[in-house]
Amino acid sequence: MKPCKELNDKLVNKKYNVRLKDVVESFTKNLFYYLFDAHDDELECLKTTFLEIACNFQIDNGEAEWNEFQTKFPTIKQKLELDAVAVVNFDPATKSLEEVYLACPGFYAISIYRLSHELYVQQVPIIPRMMSEYVHGITGIDIHPGATIGESFFLDHGTGIVIGETSIIKNNVKIFQGVTLGGIQVKKSMESTKRHPTIEDNVTIYANATILGGDISIGANSTIGANVWITQSVPENSLVTYQTEIKIRPKKNGIR
C-alpha cells in the first residue's frame, strides 16, 4: 500500500501548468486569423508563442516542429477553401463565402481540426488535443485531431457532433448535428487499433445518427437517416432509415 500512496501523493502535488490552456486558446485563434488575414508581423508572434508552449511541454525540437508545420499552411488553406465552397453549394441558408468564414461554426471547427491534425501527424504531444478542445467548447463540435478527413467536408448546424480519433471520412461528406462516429467498445488496450468507422465519398449523415465500430464502413453515395444506430457496414448507394409511427389525429374536447 505504501508505494501506491507515495505515487498518489506525487501525482496530487504535481504542477500541470493549466494556465497554458489560455495560451493555447489565444494561439489557436490567432493561427486561424493568420491563415486567412495574414499580416507580416503575425507569423513571428505565432512562432514565439508555439515555442513557449513547446518549451513548457519539454518538446526539445520545437523550432523544427514549427518550421515543418508552417510549410503546411498553404495546403491547409486550399483544403479549407474547398470546405467553404461546399457549405455555400449545399446550405440554402448560407448566402456567401464571407458568411461561411465569419459566421459558420461548422467551418470554424473544421478549420481548427485541419490545423491541429497536421500537428498530430507530426506527433506533437498535447497541443493538438488542446486546440481541438478549445473549438469544442466554442462550437459544441468534437473532432479528434487524429481523424482523417478528405476534401469538401460540410458540417450543418454541428452542435453535438463527435468524430473519434481513428475515423476516416473521405470526400464530399455532409454531417448534421448530433452525429457520433464512435467506437463500439472503450478499452485502453485498443488504443493502437482502428476503433471508429470509415465514411466513403458523397455520404450524407442526418441528425443524431450513431455509427460505431472500427471495422465498418458506410458505402459511397449513401444517405444515413436521422436517429439510426449502425454497427455494421452499409453498401454503397444505400438509404438507411429508422422506422417509427407518427399519428396525427384531431384533438378531443378539453385536450390542449
Side-chain angles (χ1 to χ4, degrees):
M1 294 295 293
K2 186 176 179 182
C4 184
K5 182 179 184 304
E6 289 175 354
L7 176 61
N8 287 338
D9 289 345
K10 187 175 181 180
L11 291 174
V12 166
N13 293 322
K14 182 175 178 178
K15 302 297 183 183
Y16 289 97
N17 199 2
V18 293
R19 290 178 179 82
L20 279 174
K21 289 171 68 71
D22 292 338
V23 180
V24 172
E25 287 181 10
S26 178
F27 170 75
T28 303
K29 285 190 291 186
N30 290 330
L31 195 57
F32 173 79
Y33 297 153
Y34 174 80
L35 204 61
F36 298 106
D37 297 319
H39 297 286
D40 292 338
D41 59 338
E42 290 179 329
L43 190 60
E44 194 60 34
C45 289
L46 285 167
K47 176 180 178 179
T48 300
T49 305
F50 179 85
L51 293 178
E52 175 192 343
I53 299 166
C55 182
N56 275 277
F57 289 136
Q58 299 180 336
I59 301 171
D60 295 331
N61 57 339
E63 185 144 3
E65 295 290 5
W66 172 259
N67 290 338
E68 182 178 351
F69 183 41
Q70 182 184 328
T71 66
K72 298 173 181 176
F73 290 174
T75 300
I76 294 170
K77 186 177 179 182
Q78 288 173 2
K79 289 180 179 180
L80 288 171
E81 287 168 347
L82 292 174
D83 297 327
V85 170
V87 178
V88 175
N89 288 343
F90 183 76
D91 184 9
T94 301
K95 310 304 182 187
S96 66
L97 283 171
E98 186 176 35
E99 186 174 345
V100 175
Y101 287 105
L102 297 177
C104 180
F107 179 76
Y108 191 42
I110 294 167
S111 298
I112 304 309
Y113 155 76
R114 294 208 185 277
L115 289 161
S116 65
H117 176 71
E118 295 303 332
L119 290 173
Y120 180 92
V121 169
Q122 291 176 212
Q123 299 185 339
V124 173
I126 304 178
I127 298 173
R129 283 297 305 273
M130 294 179 74
M131 293 170 68
S132 67
E133 282 308 303
Y134 156 69
V135 80
H136 180 197
I138 296 295
T139 65
I141 299 167
D142 186 1
I143 308 176
H144 194 286
T148 301
I149 300 177
E151 295 180 350
S152 299
F153 185 45
F154 174 45
L155 302 179
D156 200 355
H157 304 296
T159 306
I161 288 173
V162 176
I163 299 174
E165 178 185 21
T166 61
S167 300
I168 297 175
I169 299 172
K170 298 193 179 177
N171 299 323
N172 303 307
V173 171
K174 305 172 187 69
I175 295 180
F176 284 73
Q177 69 272 18
V179 167
T180 297
L181 305 182
I184 200 164
Q185 297 182 70
V186 180
K187 294 181 180 178
K188 189 64 178 176
S189 60
M190 297 177 67
E191 66 179 309
S192 297
T193 62
K194 187 177 184 303
R195 307 181 303 281
H196 307 98
T198 296
I199 311 300
E200 298 289 346
D201 293 343
N202 306 312
V203 170
T204 298
I205 307 174
Y206 283 99
N208 300 314
T210 298
I211 304 172
L212 304 178
D215 59 351
I216 72 168
S217 64
I218 305 301
N221 308 307
S222 292
T223 297
I224 307 302
N227 301 311
V228 300
W229 174 280
I230 298 175
T231 56
Q232 62 186 38
S233 291
V234 172
E236 63 180 27
N237 299 306
S238 295
L239 172 62
V240 182
T241 59
Y242 171 74
Q243 296 296 323
T244 187
E245 184 180 7
I246 298 174
K247 294 182 178 180
I248 300 175
R249 60 189 185 277
K251 293 193 295 186
K252 295 180 180 179
N253 291 338
I255 296 178
R256 294 183 178 273

